[in-house]
Structure formats: C-alpha cells, structure tokens
Amino acid sequence: MKKTIFAILMAMSLSAWAQSDEDKYEALIASLSSQPEVTASAPIAEPTPAFPNVSTQQANLLVLAHQIAEKDGHKEPKLLQGLLMQETRAGADPNYKRPTNGCYGVLQLKIAATQDVLKAYPELLSKYNLNARDQNAIKKKLIHNDEFNLTVGSRYLLILKTYGYSTMKQLALAWNQGAGGAKRFNADTFPYVKGVVKHVKTLYAAK
C-alpha cells in the first residue's frame, strides 16, 4: 500500500527538527512538490445542499467546498465550509471580488499562501493553465475561479497540518494567523475561530 502524504511529511518533519521554522516550511513545501497529486481513495458522496438560510448559489459553493476537501483527504471537510462562510459568507459578500487588503476570492487567500501551495502542488499550474511567476494571472484566477480558490485553500490546510495543527479549531487559527503566528494564541478563545465553528454548527444544525 502506498505511503500517504502525511507519513512522508512526518518523516520530513523529524529529519528537519533542528532547522528554523522558516527553513522547515521551505523543506516541507519542497517535499510536498515531489509527491503525486492528492486523489480520493473512494467515491465521494455528495453532501445535501439543503443548508439553512443560504441561497442556492451559496449552497452550491458549500457543496463544492465539501467535495474538494473530502477529495483531498480532510477528516473534517466541514472546516473548509466554515472558513468559506467566515471569509465571504460563501460568496454572498458583494465586495469580495474587489480586493483591497491583499486577499482574493471566496476564501480570501493571500498570494504568498497561494504561491506556497503552487510550489507544493505544481500540478495545479498545468491544471489551471497558470505560470508561477505571473502573480496577476494567479490573482485573477483566485477571484474568478471558485474551484481553483477552494482547491488552493484545501491544499493550504494540508500544509498547515504538517505543523501539528490537527483539530478544526487549531487549523482555523493557523489559517487566520499563519503557521507560526498561531502559536501565540489560544484556539479555544480566539474570535475568528469561534466564528468559523459557529458557522459549521449553524450549517449542520438540522442535519
């Protein structure tokens, strides 16, 4: 049976423990880039789009987020949905396509995080017809291609997991504060994390 990407990352982490956090990050990105694309191990069951108090467009986007996260092997694919609601109310925020703070698209992704993902998973460049050096094209793709945006977000969560963040709260905190910055805060009390968890609970309250 093939080694999972997580087993490979664990081995990489152990061999680079003495490096600085920045060096570890670069080493993990390089390790990820040498691995095959993440694929689903079993057929994905499509979640019901009947979420409370959301439009059909929002529901479809939430379903897509769940499918992508599940395909990438996340044990809690609902997290990506919670982040989606927290960042742009699943695309319902009318201003998210006019970025003013360096964040782009339905998950409000930063270009630096996106480039890290593209380094770790270079197959996404060919899949979405992108050049890693063309930041403007990447930004446009993040804004106008929701599937690309959600895929990058899902893969970024995989990278964050290599730092030991494993629970929904820990990953939501690392998403908001970065892999290093998250160490300074309590995931149980951080306002952003509370918002993400609340969205997940609301979406699945009647399920």
Side-chain angles (χ1 to χ4, degrees):
M1 187 174 185
K2 294 182 179 179
K3 292 182 178 179
T4 65
I5 191 171
F6 300 108
I8 294 170
L9 287 171
M10 183 61 71
M12 186 64 200
S13 298
L14 289 173
S15 66
W17 70 273
Q19 295 176 302
S20 67
D21 284 346
E22 183 176 354
D23 289 339
K24 286 181 182 179
Y25 193 72
E26 290 300 319
L28 288 166
I29 293 296
S31 175
L32 282 166
S33 65
S34 67
Q35 305 308 316
E37 184 176 1
V38 177
T39 56
S41 58
I44 298 173
E46 181 175 314
T48 173
F51 298 107
N53 303 316
V54 299
S55 67
T56 300
Q57 183 176 358
Q58 286 174 292
N60 289 337
L61 200 58
L62 287 163
V63 169
L64 180 61
H66 192 285
Q67 290 175 329
I68 289 171
E70 193 171 33
K71 181 178 179 180
D72 283 346
H74 292 288
K75 292 182 178 179
E76 293 185 294
K78 295 175 183 179
L79 170 58
L80 195 63
Q81 294 175 311
L83 293 169
L84 180 59
M85 289 295 293
Q86 180 74 8
E87 294 291 348
T88 63
R89 290 186 291 124
D93 183 342
N95 298 313
Y96 84 89
K97 288 191 176 183
R98 296 187 289 275
T100 58
N101 59 352
C103 299
Y104 304 92
V106 288
L107 282 173
Q108 291 292 279
L109 293 165
K110 292 184 178 181
I111 193 66
T114 301
Q115 288 178 320
D116 284 341
V117 169
L118 295 177
K119 287 179 184 178
Y121 302 98
E123 69 275 5
L124 296 180
L125 291 170
S126 57
K127 180 177 181 179
Y128 291 98
N129 193 26
L130 289 169
N131 184 321
R133 297 181 180 181
D134 191 344
Q135 289 194 12
N136 287 331
I138 292 171
K139 291 174 184 177
K140 288 179 181 178
K141 191 74 72 172
L142 286 172
I143 294 171
H144 299 293
N145 189 317
D146 294 338
E147 180 189 300
F148 174 69
N149 192 288
L150 291 168
T151 298
V152 170
S154 177
R155 300 296 176 88
Y156 184 57
L157 287 174
L158 291 179
I159 292 175
L160 292 175
K161 285 182 179 181
T162 67
Y163 283 85
Y165 302 112
S166 58
T167 69
M168 182 179 291
K169 290 182 179 180
Q170 290 171 348
L171 285 166
L173 179 59
W175 173 281
N176 183 250
Q177 293 296 310
K183 297 176 183 178
R184 301 194 299 266
F185 301 97
N186 186 336
D188 291 324
T189 59
F190 199 75
Y192 181 91
V193 176
K194 287 184 176 181
V196 171
V197 173
K198 182 178 180 181
H199 281 304
V200 172
K201 289 181 177 178
T202 299
L203 289 172
Y204 289 90
K207 294 183 183 296

